[in-house]
Amino acid sequence: MANICESVVSGTGSRWTLGSLILVQLLAYNETGGSATMLCFALAALYALLAGSCKSGIKSLQISYLRTTHRLDFFCLFLAKWMDILALFSACAILVRTLSSSLDAMTGGLARMYILGRNSAANEPWPDVIGVVVIFIVTGMFMLGLENTRIFGFLMVGGVISVILLVGIITVFTGTVSLFHTEPILPKGIAGLLSGTALSTFTYSNDLLTGNYIKRLLGMLVVFIILLSIELIGACCTMLLKFSTNHAYEAVPLLFILELKDFQKLIPAVACLLVLTCSGALLELFPEMFAHIVQLTTSDWKILSKQIGYESRESGSPTLTIFTGGSLCAMLAFACPLENLTYILAASHICATLLRSFLFLYSPFRPHYLEQQQSESSCLAYSRLSTGPPYANESSGRTGKKHIWCFRKPTNLCAATTNVFANHLLPGMRGAPISQTGNREENEREWLLLGEPSSPKAPNSSSMPSIVESSVLSDQVSDIECIALAKPENMDSEDSSATDIDAIVDEYRQKIKISTVGLMDRESLRLPTANSWYLAIIFIVLIVLGSVITAAGLMLLENIVIIVGVTVVLTPAVILWLFPRHDQTNTARPSVCIVTLLSSFILFAAVFALSWPALLLWFLAGLFLFIRCDTWCCLCLERPNSSGISSLAATALVTSRSSQGSLLHTRVACKS
């Protein structure tokens, strides 16, 4: 049982809680009605399987290599992650809005009146003072070292099951089965069905289909269980509520159902249960949100400054990242109504899937090895294996054993910092070799073997000194990078000849997979060329254009436009089957990517009207960060005097190495 729980992706339970307690009831009461809600969540489950197939290929990508060689690929991946962060912001704000309404319901509506000094609408409170207070309390707890343990997960799952049982019991006593026959299936037509499907997509995690065959089957089973539970709640809501397009927007329909069915005495207890489950979901989504932000500060991405991801000595938490994420969540919960938050959540989640499907659609048709085949006569092509689990699967952004306690014990980093400082920077003073650079030297030799640059900007001449990139003080204290070491002039030629290609291949035969691309293989395998790549780009642009036309036709309900759009999509898709492409076993097939791209455009058009201002603002912010990183980031954020420890470490290293003539007193700018 423990192995099964560990195989389920972190964040699945919180998304299930958000979908089963909030989204399904909002759709049944405010958007599409109970019957259409059941159909919407079924379509959303199918879309989640397609999106998961496209996202499974990210695990095999080398982000740092794409950042230096394929800027368009890196830009698509960054925008997809940027939209995922916005989706997590919106999800946390929705949970806080529900918490605010539930806490107010526990006091009979008096809490908000006492805080604001006046009575306000219970459904769409503004300003939502209670929600902002809840976010800052959670932010402070995580800054002090709170960890999301299994206890919170068990409480969350128990609360969701209790709410489902409660809704089922109320339906048995007061439900009306005749509403299944009298209620229209699609009260808002195709547009309502598409918008409801889009609002339901965040319920299912896109990471469930990563891994081997067994994990994929387990992920599909989890999707089916989530769908079954939500369909049960949707059926109960159909028999309890009569859908109308004229009623006011209801923030917590479950409390309205209890009041409508004369269960007023249960409202405080159910509100307390909602607070418990929503708190558990918030404690799972919040670490996932700031873990994505921390990932943008790593050496693979280099979008944000490393100082943002530094961990506190007392708590071990990235306090600045947590405070930044909590502040943005508080702004959303304070300013955006719940209806707009749900549309922003859906639009950002779908936009991230759209970008990833577009990336994996065109990448197999690109001639990756065209330059090597034209300039080299070698029959060997090397590709680096992926090492380690992806960072996004870690809820807290750090490795280590989880404890059952709520807070981590303060670690004594002073002694650890001294030891790491001595091991990394001061061995030259003792005449001892650097002992912690073995893994970095192995990685450097692998990069040299694969013909990939060892730094974001490859040297222009062969006389450029070799670059050693070190992460000092375990990424917690210092930010020294890219120190240039000069090659000694009296280096023995026999030592340099020891690193020839045969020795390296023999040393890394367990880590490097070799694929033979000889003349006979090139004749039997149809690899992409420059001409086929240019034609493939034209057909991919036609597929995108046809997807936009199809989405517009569905929104306008114009049959001719829909037929033209589908034709423009299918014709290039069939022709692309005849094009040569690379077989990528870890990514989805182009046909799956085309279907995912078309579905993403259709669902995105359904929620675009109420979410485009937030998406435009967030996109411009991400574009500014990307351009700034590409142009000035490594020059303005990687200065030697950015911290006292950095300058002290650099001075000690320069002093210890200058007498040996092996250090150039220069700093190489890490600019791609």
Side-chain angles (χ1 to χ4, degrees):
M1 184 65 183
N3 295 331
I4 295 177
C5 295
E6 292 177 358
S7 299
V8 178
V9 178
S10 177
T12 303
S14 58
R15 287 169 170 81
W16 176 43
T17 302
L18 182 65
S20 58
L21 296 189
I22 301 177
L23 295 180
V24 63
Q25 299 177 29
L26 292 178
L27 290 178
Y29 186 82
N30 301 313
E31 294 291 339
T32 60
S35 302
T37 299
M38 299 172 64
L39 184 58
C40 289
F41 274 93
L43 295 176
L46 180 60
Y47 177 78
L49 296 178
L50 295 174
S53 300
C54 292
K55 194 175 182 180
S56 61
I58 295 181
K59 186 177 180 180
S60 60
L61 294 180
Q62 301 179 34
I63 305 299
S64 57
Y65 179 70
L66 293 178
R67 178 173 52 85
T68 57
T69 56
H70 302 294
R71 302 298 296 174
L72 180 60
D73 294 12
F74 181 71
F75 183 62
C76 288
L77 290 175
F78 165 69
L79 279 185
K81 180 173 287 295
W82 192 244
M83 290 300 170
D84 283 334
I85 294 175
L86 179 59
L88 292 172
F89 281 151
S90 304
C92 293
I94 290 173
L95 289 171
V96 169
R97 279 280 187 169
T98 306
L99 274 170
S100 175
S101 300
S102 300
L103 289 172
D104 188 59
M106 292 172 61
T107 62
L110 299 177
R112 187 175 290 108
M113 184 175 64
Y114 288 153
I115 294 174
L116 299 178
R118 58 180 174 81
N119 194 8
S120 62
N123 296 326
E124 291 296 335
W126 193 91
D128 192 2
V129 180
I130 300 178
V132 174
V133 171
V134 169
I135 284 184
F136 277 111
I137 290 175
V138 173
T139 302
M141 293 171 66
F142 276 105
M143 291 175 67
L144 293 175
L146 177 70
E147 281 189 348
N148 183 29
T149 61
R150 293 182 180 179
I151 292 179
F152 298 128
F154 290 150
L155 292 176
M156 178 182 60
V157 173
V160 173
I161 295 175
S162 300
V163 172
I164 294 176
L165 292 177
L166 180 63
V167 173
I169 293 173
I170 295 174
T171 305
V172 171
F173 286 101
T174 61
T176 305
V177 183
S178 61
L179 291 178
F180 265 111
H181 307 285
T182 58
E183 286 289 313
I185 298 178
L186 298 177
K188 290 187 177 181
I190 299 297
L193 177 64
L194 295 177
S195 62
T197 304
L199 295 175
S200 310
T201 53
F202 190 78
T203 306
Y204 311 97
S205 176
N206 291 341
D207 296 323
L208 289 173
L209 296 183
T210 58
N212 53 19
Y213 183 73
I214 302 298
K215 291 184 178 180
R216 288 173 180 265
L217 289 179
L218 180 61
M220 296 179 65
L221 179 61
V222 171
V223 170
F224 177 76
I225 293 175
I226 294 174
L227 176 61
L228 188 62
S229 62
I230 293 179
E231 292 292 331
L232 178 61
I233 299 178
C236 294
C237 292
T238 305
M239 293 184 286
L240 292 174
L241 294 172
K242 186 175 179 61
F243 180 76
S244 175
T245 57
N246 299 323
H247 59 70
Y249 195 88
E250 188 71 30
V252 188
L254 181 59
L255 301 179
F256 176 77
I257 292 173
L258 293 176
E259 185 178 359
L260 183 65
K261 300 299 180 179
D262 296 330
F263 289 98
Q264 288 85 357
K265 295 182 179 180
L266 290 178
I267 290 179
V270 175
C272 182
L273 190 61
L274 288 176
V275 169
L276 178 65
T277 53
C278 291
S279 299
L282 182 61
L283 293 177
E284 188 172 336
L285 283 178
F286 198 86
E288 183 181 354
M289 175 266 298
F290 68 74
H292 279 283
I293 300 177
V294 171
Q295 190 176 7
L296 293 179
T297 66
T298 58
S299 59
D300 287 340
W301 294 88
K302 290 187 178 181
I303 297 295
L304 300 177
S305 173
K306 280 190 173 183
Q307 285 78 3
I308 298 178
Y310 282 161
E311 298 178 353
S312 173
R313 295 185 180 182
E314 290 77 13
S315 63
S317 301
T319 55
L320 185 57
T321 304
I322 296 173
F323 180 77
T324 303
S327 301
L328 293 175
C329 287
M331 292 178 186
L332 282 177
F334 182 83
C336 293
L338 184 61
E339 183 178 8
N340 294 91
L341 284 175
T342 54
Y343 276 83
I344 293 173
L345 170 68
S348 55
H349 181 69
I350 293 171
C351 187
T353 304
L354 188 151
L355 291 169
R356 282 189 288 262
S357 61
F358 175 74
L359 169 64
F360 290 112
L361 174 59
Y362 73 80
S363 57
F365 298 96
R366 183 172 49 200
H368 298 280
Y369 307 104
L370 179 62
E371 182 179 355
Q372 296 180 4
Q373 292 172 7
Q374 292 177 353
S375 60
E376 298 178 1
S377 60
S378 176
C379 297
L380 297 178
Y382 302 92
S383 60
R384 189 177 183 180
L385 293 176
S386 59
T387 57
Y391 187 87
N393 291 339
E394 299 176 3
S395 60
S396 62
R398 295 179 301 276
T399 58
K401 184 178 180 180
K402 297 289 183 181
H403 297 280
I404 197 171
W405 307 108
C406 297
F407 291 88
R408 293 185 298 274
K409 297 181 180 180
T411 56
N412 187 9
L413 291 181
C414 296
T417 299
T418 305
N419 294 333
V420 174
F421 180 82
N423 291 332
H424 280 270
L425 296 179
L426 304 180
M429 296 181 179
R430 303 190 303 267
I434 298 177
S435 59
Q436 301 294 333
T437 58
N439 294 332
R440 297 186 182 90
E441 291 178 357
E442 289 185 2
N443 293 333
E444 189 73 16
R445 295 172 70 185
E446 286 187 22
W447 284 89
L448 292 175
L449 172 62
L450 298 175
E452 300 170 351
S454 59
S455 63
K457 185 175 182 180
N460 295 327
S461 62
S462 60
S463 62
M464 192 74 176
S466 61
I467 297 173
V468 178
E469 181 178 354
S470 61
S471 176
V472 185
L473 303 186
S474 302
D475 291 330
Q476 294 181 357
V477 179
S478 176
D479 63 345
I480 296 178
E481 278 192 358
C482 305
I483 300 176
L485 297 177
K487 182 179 179 181
E489 298 179 356
N490 56 354
M491 178 178 289
D492 192 1
S493 60
E494 295 180 359
D495 296 336
S496 61
S497 63
T499 59
D500 56 357
I501 188 65
D502 296 331
I504 296 177
V505 170
D506 182 69
E507 182 179 359
Y508 293 102
R509 62 181 182 273
Q510 300 297 333
K511 300 178 181 179
I512 304 282
K513 57 181 181 180
I514 304 175
S515 59
T516 58
V517 191
L519 296 176
M520 297 179 62
D521 295 328
R522 293 175 187 176
E523 294 177 357
S524 59
L525 297 177
R526 299 180 60 227
L527 296 178
T529 60
N531 294 330
S532 65
W533 165 236
Y534 298 148
L535 290 177
I537 291 176
I538 297 175
F539 288 115
I540 290 173
V541 171
L542 290 177
I543 290 175
V544 174
L545 181 61
S547 301
V548 174
I549 295 174
T550 305
L554 287 173
M555 293 297 103
L556 299 175
L557 296 179
E558 295 289 341
N559 296 330
I560 298 178
V561 178
I562 296 174
I563 294 174
V564 171
V566 173
T567 304
V568 175
V569 171
L570 291 180
T571 304
V574 173
I575 297 177
L576 281 179
W577 274 99
L578 305 176
F579 276 65
R581 62 180 183 272
H582 296 285
D583 292 332
Q584 299 180 350
T585 57
N586 295 326
T587 61
R589 295 182 178 274
S591 58
V592 178
C593 295
I594 292 174
V595 176
T596 308
L597 187 69
L598 177 61
S599 305
S600 299
F601 270 108
I602 293 174
L603 297 180
F604 182 76
V607 295
F608 179 75
L610 293 179
S611 62
W612 70 267
L615 291 179
L616 180 60
L617 181 62
W618 190 250
F619 172 78
L620 292 178
L623 183 62
F624 174 76
L625 278 178
F626 185 82
I627 295 175
R628 183 175 183 269
C629 169
D630 192 26
T631 309
W632 304 294
C633 177
C634 295
L635 295 179
C636 67
L637 298 179
E638 302 290 341
R639 292 180 179 177
N641 296 325
S642 59
S643 63
I645 297 178
S646 301
S647 59
L648 177 62
T651 304
L653 187 58
V654 169
T655 305
S656 62
R657 297 297 183 183
S658 58
S659 60
Q660 301 177 9
S662 60
L663 176 67
L664 292 178
H665 193 68
T666 57
R667 181 178 180 84
V668 178
C670 299
K671 181 181 177 183
S672 59

